Tab-separated table of all heavy atoms in Angstrom:
chain	number	residue	atom	x	y	z
P	1	VAL	N	67.145	1.613	55.371
P	1	VAL	CA	67.073	1.794	56.817
P	1	VAL	C	65.628	2.083	57.212
P	1	VAL	O	64.914	2.795	56.509
P	1	VAL	CB	68.021	2.919	57.289
P	1	VAL	CG1	67.637	4.269	56.686
P	1	VAL	CG2	68.061	2.990	58.809
P	2	SER	N	65.192	1.504	58.317
P	2	SER	CA	63.845	1.727	58.819
P	2	SER	C	63.862	1.646	60.339
P	2	SER	O	64.855	1.220	60.931
P	2	SER	CB	62.863	0.707	58.233
P	2	SER	OG	63.223	-0.611	58.609
P	3	ARG	N	62.773	2.054	60.965
P	3	ARG	CA	62.713	1.973	62.423
P	3	ARG	C	61.298	1.705	62.889
P	3	ARG	O	60.320	2.032	62.207
P	3	ARG	CB	63.251	3.255	63.071
P	3	ARG	CG	62.403	4.492	62.839
P	3	ARG	CD	63.137	5.757	63.287
P	3	ARG	NE	63.383	5.773	64.715
P	3	ARG	CZ	64.257	6.575	65.319
P	3	ARG	NH1	64.994	7.419	64.591
P	3	ARG	NH2	64.403	6.522	66.637
P	4	ASP	N	61.195	1.120	64.072
P	4	ASP	CA	59.929	0.859	64.727
P	4	ASP	C	60.051	1.433	66.127
P	4	ASP	O	60.612	0.797	67.019
P	4	ASP	CB	59.627	-0.634	64.762
P	4	ASP	CG	58.264	-0.948	65.340
P	4	ASP	OD1	57.671	-0.086	66.016
P	4	ASP	OD2	57.774	-2.072	65.114
P	5	ASN	N	59.537	2.639	66.315
P	5	ASN	CA	59.692	3.304	67.610
P	5	ASN	C	58.943	2.593	68.730
P	5	ASN	O	59.358	2.654	69.888
P	5	ASN	CB	59.236	4.759	67.505
P	5	ASN	CG	60.216	5.620	66.733
P	5	ASN	OD1	61.368	5.232	66.535
P	5	ASN	ND2	59.770	6.778	66.295
P	6	ALA	N	57.842	1.930	68.406
P	6	ALA	CA	57.098	1.186	69.413
P	6	ALA	C	57.924	0.033	69.968
P	6	ALA	O	57.755	-0.359	71.125
P	6	ALA	CB	55.785	0.666	68.838
P	7	GLN	N	58.813	-0.524	69.143
P	7	GLN	CA	59.675	-1.623	69.557
P	7	GLN	C	61.087	-1.163	69.895
P	7	GLN	O	61.943	-1.992	70.220
P	7	GLN	CB	59.724	-2.692	68.465
P	7	GLN	CG	58.392	-3.359	68.190
P	7	GLN	CD	57.897	-4.153	69.370
P	7	GLN	OE1	58.672	-4.827	70.055
P	7	GLN	NE2	56.600	-4.075	69.622
P	8	SER	N	61.331	0.136	69.794
P	8	SER	CA	62.650	0.720	70.079
P	8	SER	C	63.748	0.019	69.288
P	8	SER	O	64.800	-0.334	69.829
P	8	SER	CB	62.952	0.660	71.578
P	8	SER	OG	62.020	1.429	72.312
P	9	THR	N	63.499	-0.163	67.999
P	9	THR	CA	64.422	-0.904	67.155
P	9	THR	C	64.605	-0.215	65.804
P	9	THR	O	63.639	0.275	65.225
P	9	THR	CB	63.925	-2.339	66.923
P	9	THR	OG1	63.750	-2.991	68.184
P	9	THR	CG2	64.921	-3.134	66.097
P	10	VAL	N	65.843	-0.197	65.330
P	10	VAL	CA	66.149	0.297	63.994
P	10	VAL	C	66.720	-0.861	63.188
P	10	VAL	O	67.397	-1.740	63.742
P	10	VAL	CB	67.124	1.498	64.043
P	10	VAL	CG1	68.474	1.097	64.629
P	10	VAL	CG2	67.295	2.109	62.660
P	11	TYR	N	66.438	-0.879	61.882
P	11	TYR	CA	66.847	-1.977	61.023
P	11	TYR	C	67.678	-1.475	59.848
P	11	TYR	O	67.560	-0.327	59.415
P	11	TYR	CB	65.628	-2.707	60.458
P	11	TYR	CG	64.675	-3.218	61.500
P	11	TYR	CD1	63.575	-2.463	61.889
P	11	TYR	CD2	64.875	-4.456	62.098
P	11	TYR	CE1	62.699	-2.929	62.853
P	11	TYR	CE2	64.005	-4.929	63.061
P	11	TYR	CZ	62.916	-4.170	63.435
P	11	TYR	OH	62.051	-4.633	64.389
P	12	LEU	N	68.496	-2.360	59.331
P	12	LEU	CA	69.200	-2.098	58.083
P	12	LEU	C	69.047	-3.328	57.200
P	12	LEU	O	69.641	-4.372	57.470
P	12	LEU	CB	70.684	-1.798	58.321
P	12	LEU	CG	71.479	-1.407	57.076
P	12	LEU	CD1	71.007	-0.048	56.544
P	12	LEU	CD2	72.975	-1.374	57.366
P	13	GLN	N	68.220	-3.199	56.170
P	13	GLN	CA	68.037	-4.271	55.205
P	13	GLN	C	69.097	-4.126	54.130
P	13	GLN	O	69.170	-3.089	53.471
P	13	GLN	CB	66.641	-4.210	54.586
P	13	GLN	CG	66.380	-5.267	53.521
P	13	GLN	CD	66.360	-6.664	54.076
P	13	GLN	OE1	65.733	-6.917	55.105
P	13	GLN	NE2	67.054	-7.584	53.423
P	14	MET	N	69.902	-5.150	53.934
P	14	MET	CA	71.001	-5.108	52.986
P	14	MET	C	70.756	-6.142	51.888
P	14	MET	O	70.704	-7.341	52.162
P	14	MET	CB	72.334	-5.375	53.685
P	14	MET	CG	72.611	-4.435	54.852
P	14	MET	SD	74.248	-4.686	55.594
P	14	MET	CE	74.014	-6.326	56.294
P	15	ASN	N	70.616	-5.672	50.667
P	15	ASN	CA	70.398	-6.535	49.522
P	15	ASN	C	71.558	-6.407	48.539
P	15	ASN	O	72.328	-5.450	48.588
P	15	ASN	CB	69.086	-6.174	48.814
P	15	ASN	CG	67.869	-6.358	49.682
P	15	ASN	OD1	67.816	-7.260	50.513
P	15	ASN	ND2	66.871	-5.506	49.488
P	16	SER	N	71.654	-7.363	47.633
P	16	SER	CA	72.699	-7.353	46.607
P	16	SER	C	74.072	-7.093	47.216
P	16	SER	O	74.845	-6.255	46.743
P	16	SER	CB	72.384	-6.300	45.538
P	16	SER	OG	71.137	-6.555	44.927
P	17	LEU	N	74.384	-7.823	48.258
P	17	LEU	CA	75.624	-7.596	48.989
P	17	LEU	C	76.856	-7.883	48.138
P	17	LEU	O	76.865	-8.813	47.329
P	17	LEU	CB	75.652	-8.448	50.249
P	17	LEU	CG	74.787	-7.895	51.389
P	17	LEU	CD1	74.503	-8.980	52.410
P	17	LEU	CD2	75.483	-6.708	52.047
P	18	LYS	N	77.877	-7.066	48.354
P	18	LYS	CA	79.150	-7.180	47.659
P	18	LYS	C	80.249	-7.493	48.666
P	18	LYS	O	80.116	-7.200	49.846
P	18	LYS	CB	79.484	-5.873	46.933
P	18	LYS	CG	78.414	-5.388	45.978
P	18	LYS	CD	78.776	-4.022	45.425
P	18	LYS	CE	77.713	-3.505	44.476
P	18	LYS	NZ	78.061	-2.163	43.946
P	19	THR	N	81.349	-8.041	48.195
P	19	THR	CA	82.456	-8.358	49.092
P	19	THR	C	82.967	-7.111	49.802
P	19	THR	O	83.414	-7.192	50.951
P	19	THR	CB	83.611	-9.036	48.353
P	19	THR	OG1	84.034	-8.218	47.256
P	19	THR	CG2	83.180	-10.395	47.821
P	20	GLU	N	82.894	-5.965	49.154
P	20	GLU	CA	83.355	-4.729	49.769
P	20	GLU	C	82.440	-4.223	50.886
P	20	GLU	O	82.769	-3.251	51.559
P	20	GLU	CB	83.556	-3.625	48.720
P	20	GLU	CG	82.375	-3.422	47.795
P	20	GLU	CD	82.547	-4.126	46.464
P	20	GLU	OE1	82.918	-5.315	46.459
P	20	GLU	OE2	82.316	-3.482	45.415
P	21	ASP	N	81.296	-4.877	51.086
P	21	ASP	CA	80.425	-4.550	52.208
P	21	ASP	C	80.888	-5.221	53.502
P	21	ASP	O	80.326	-4.956	54.565
P	21	ASP	CB	78.983	-4.970	51.918
P	21	ASP	CG	78.359	-4.181	50.783
P	21	ASP	OD1	78.571	-2.955	50.718
P	21	ASP	OD2	77.641	-4.796	49.971
P	22	THR	N	81.873	-6.089	53.414
P	22	THR	CA	82.388	-6.778	54.591
P	22	THR	C	82.956	-5.773	55.589
P	22	THR	O	83.818	-4.967	55.253
P	22	THR	CB	83.472	-7.788	54.196
P	22	THR	OG1	82.892	-8.813	53.394
P	22	THR	CG2	84.104	-8.419	55.431
P	23	ALA	N	82.450	-5.812	56.820
P	23	ALA	CA	82.862	-4.865	57.850
P	23	ALA	C	82.141	-5.189	59.145
P	23	ALA	O	81.224	-6.012	59.180
P	23	ALA	CB	82.537	-3.429	57.427
P	24	VAL	N	82.552	-4.526	60.218
P	24	VAL	CA	81.777	-4.518	61.442
P	24	VAL	C	80.794	-3.361	61.334
P	24	VAL	O	81.191	-2.228	61.077
P	24	VAL	CB	82.662	-4.352	62.691
P	24	VAL	CG1	81.806	-4.259	63.946
P	24	VAL	CG2	83.636	-5.515	62.806
P	25	TYR	N	79.521	-3.652	61.535
P	25	TYR	CA	78.483	-2.645	61.422
P	25	TYR	C	78.027	-2.190	62.801
P	25	TYR	O	77.759	-3.009	63.677
P	25	TYR	CB	77.290	-3.194	60.638
P	25	TYR	CG	77.539	-3.242	59.152
P	25	TYR	CD1	78.431	-4.152	58.615
P	25	TYR	CD2	76.896	-2.359	58.281
P	25	TYR	CE1	78.685	-4.186	57.251
P	25	TYR	CE2	77.139	-2.390	56.917
P	25	TYR	CZ	78.035	-3.304	56.410
P	25	TYR	OH	78.283	-3.344	55.053
P	26	TYR	N	77.920	-0.880	62.970
P	26	TYR	CA	77.530	-0.277	64.236
P	26	TYR	C	76.281	0.572	64.055
P	26	TYR	O	76.149	1.274	63.051
P	26	TYR	CB	78.637	0.639	64.766
P	26	TYR	CG	79.959	-0.025	65.018
P	26	TYR	CD1	80.910	-0.121	64.014
P	26	TYR	CD2	80.263	-0.543	66.273
P	26	TYR	CE1	82.131	-0.721	64.250
P	26	TYR	CE2	81.482	-1.140	66.518
P	26	TYR	CZ	82.418	-1.230	65.497
P	26	TYR	OH	83.639	-1.824	65.738
P	27	CYS	N	75.387	0.533	65.016
P	27	CYS	CA	74.311	1.503	65.046
P	27	CYS	C	74.650	2.573	66.068
P	27	CYS	O	75.423	2.341	66.999
P	27	CYS	CB	72.951	0.858	65.348
P	27	CYS	SG	72.754	0.202	67.017
P	28	ALA	N	74.093	3.753	65.877
P	28	ALA	CA	74.384	4.871	66.761
P	28	ALA	C	73.163	5.767	66.881
P	28	ALA	O	72.365	5.877	65.948
P	28	ALA	CB	75.574	5.672	66.234
P	29	ALA	N	73.038	6.413	68.034
P	29	ALA	CA	71.950	7.346	68.300
P	29	ALA	C	72.491	8.760	68.349
P	29	ALA	O	73.536	9.008	68.957
P	29	ALA	CB	71.261	7.003	69.615
P	30	GLY	N	71.774	9.687	67.723
P	30	GLY	CA	72.213	11.064	67.684
P	30	GLY	C	71.076	12.050	67.803
P	30	GLY	O	69.915	11.671	67.945
P	31	SER	N	71.419	13.319	67.721
P	31	SER	CA	70.439	14.384	67.876
P	31	SER	C	70.068	15.073	66.573
P	31	SER	O	69.059	15.774	66.514
P	31	SER	CB	70.948	15.432	68.873
P	31	SER	OG	72.184	15.972	68.455
P	32	ALA	N	70.871	14.887	65.535
P	32	ALA	CA	70.611	15.519	64.247
P	32	ALA	C	70.936	14.526	63.143
P	32	ALA	O	72.094	14.137	62.978
P	32	ALA	CB	71.433	16.794	64.084
P	33	VAL	N	69.951	14.128	62.382
P	33	VAL	CA	70.112	13.034	61.436
P	33	VAL	C	71.200	13.281	60.398
P	33	VAL	O	71.881	12.341	59.978
P	33	VAL	CB	68.758	12.707	60.757
P	33	VAL	CG1	68.309	13.847	59.851
P	33	VAL	CG2	68.835	11.392	60.010
P	34	ILE	N	71.397	14.527	59.979
P	34	ILE	CA	72.365	14.817	58.932
P	34	ILE	C	73.736	15.195	59.468
P	34	ILE	O	74.665	15.422	58.679
P	34	ILE	CB	71.870	15.934	57.991
P	34	ILE	CG1	71.695	17.252	58.749
P	34	ILE	CG2	70.571	15.505	57.310
P	34	ILE	CD1	71.391	18.429	57.853
P	35	LEU	N	73.885	15.270	60.783
P	35	LEU	CA	75.147	15.686	61.381
P	35	LEU	C	75.820	14.477	62.029
P	35	LEU	O	75.438	14.043	63.113
P	35	LEU	CB	74.907	16.786	62.411
P	35	LEU	CG	76.140	17.436	63.025
P	35	LEU	CD1	76.985	18.094	61.948
P	35	LEU	CD2	75.721	18.457	64.071
P	36	ILE	N	76.845	13.949	61.367
P	36	ILE	CA	77.514	12.733	61.829
P	36	ILE	C	78.084	12.892	63.228
P	36	ILE	O	78.036	11.966	64.038
P	36	ILE	CB	78.609	12.310	60.831
P	36	ILE	CG1	77.971	11.893	59.508
P	36	ILE	CG2	79.454	11.177	61.408
P	36	ILE	CD1	78.969	11.554	58.425
P	37	SER	N	78.614	14.062	63.542
P	37	SER	CA	79.217	14.297	64.847
P	37	SER	C	78.212	14.242	65.991
P	37	SER	O	78.611	14.158	67.153
P	37	SER	CB	79.951	15.632	64.866
P	37	SER	OG	79.058	16.712	64.664
P	38	SER	N	76.926	14.287	65.685
P	38	SER	CA	75.909	14.243	66.734
P	38	SER	C	75.616	12.823	67.216
P	38	SER	O	74.915	12.646	68.216
P	38	SER	CB	74.606	14.888	66.253
P	38	SER	OG	73.863	14.023	65.416
P	39	TYR	N	76.152	11.811	66.530
P	39	TYR	CA	75.941	10.425	66.938
P	39	TYR	C	76.937	10.071	68.029
P	39	TYR	O	78.105	9.776	67.758
P	39	TYR	CB	76.062	9.487	65.736
P	39	TYR	CG	74.956	9.696	64.737
P	39	TYR	CD1	75.125	10.533	63.649
P	39	TYR	CD2	73.725	9.059	64.900
P	39	TYR	CE1	74.091	10.742	62.746
P	39	TYR	CE2	72.696	9.262	64.002
P	39	TYR	CZ	72.876	10.106	62.927
P	39	TYR	OH	71.851	10.307	62.031
P	40	ARG	N	76.458	10.071	69.265
P	40	ARG	CA	77.338	9.925	70.421
P	40	ARG	C	77.173	8.607	71.169
P	40	ARG	O	78.027	8.257	71.987
P	40	ARG	CB	77.110	11.076	71.399
P	40	ARG	CG	77.399	12.447	70.800
P	40	ARG	CD	77.321	13.525	71.847
P	40	ARG	NE	77.627	14.841	71.300
P	40	ARG	CZ	77.816	15.922	72.016
P	40	ARG	NH1	77.733	15.856	73.340
P	40	ARG	NH2	78.091	17.074	71.430
P	41	HIS	N	76.105	7.887	70.915
P	41	HIS	CA	75.847	6.627	71.611
P	41	HIS	C	75.944	5.484	70.613
P	41	HIS	O	75.243	5.483	69.602
P	41	HIS	CB	74.468	6.656	72.275
P	41	HIS	CG	74.256	7.858	73.138
P	41	HIS	ND1	74.861	7.993	74.370
P	41	HIS	CD2	73.526	8.984	72.943
P	41	HIS	CE1	74.505	9.149	74.902
P	41	HIS	NE2	73.697	9.765	74.067
P	42	TRP	N	76.797	4.519	70.932
P	42	TRP	CA	77.134	3.460	69.983
P	42	TRP	C	76.881	2.066	70.520
P	42	TRP	O	77.047	1.808	71.712
P	42	TRP	CB	78.610	3.563	69.587
P	42	TRP	CG	78.933	4.841	68.883
P	42	TRP	CD1	79.204	6.047	69.462
P	42	TRP	CD2	79.012	5.038	67.475
P	42	TRP	NE1	79.442	6.991	68.488
P	42	TRP	CE2	79.334	6.402	67.263
P	42	TRP	CE3	78.845	4.206	66.374
P	42	TRP	CZ2	79.489	6.937	65.983
P	42	TRP	CZ3	79.003	4.736	65.106
P	42	TRP	CH2	79.319	6.087	64.922
P	43	GLY	N	76.505	1.166	69.629
P	43	GLY	CA	76.401	-0.237	69.972
P	43	GLY	C	77.758	-0.905	69.892
P	43	GLY	O	78.771	-0.273	69.572
């Protein structure tokens, strides 16, 4: 995972993908990086 604040964009580079990685992927914005419940805004 990486981000470019100047471009207001976050990225997820996924390598060596497995079939079990199949899913709908969502990004979210929060107030505390380690607190999952703080992610309140979703794509």
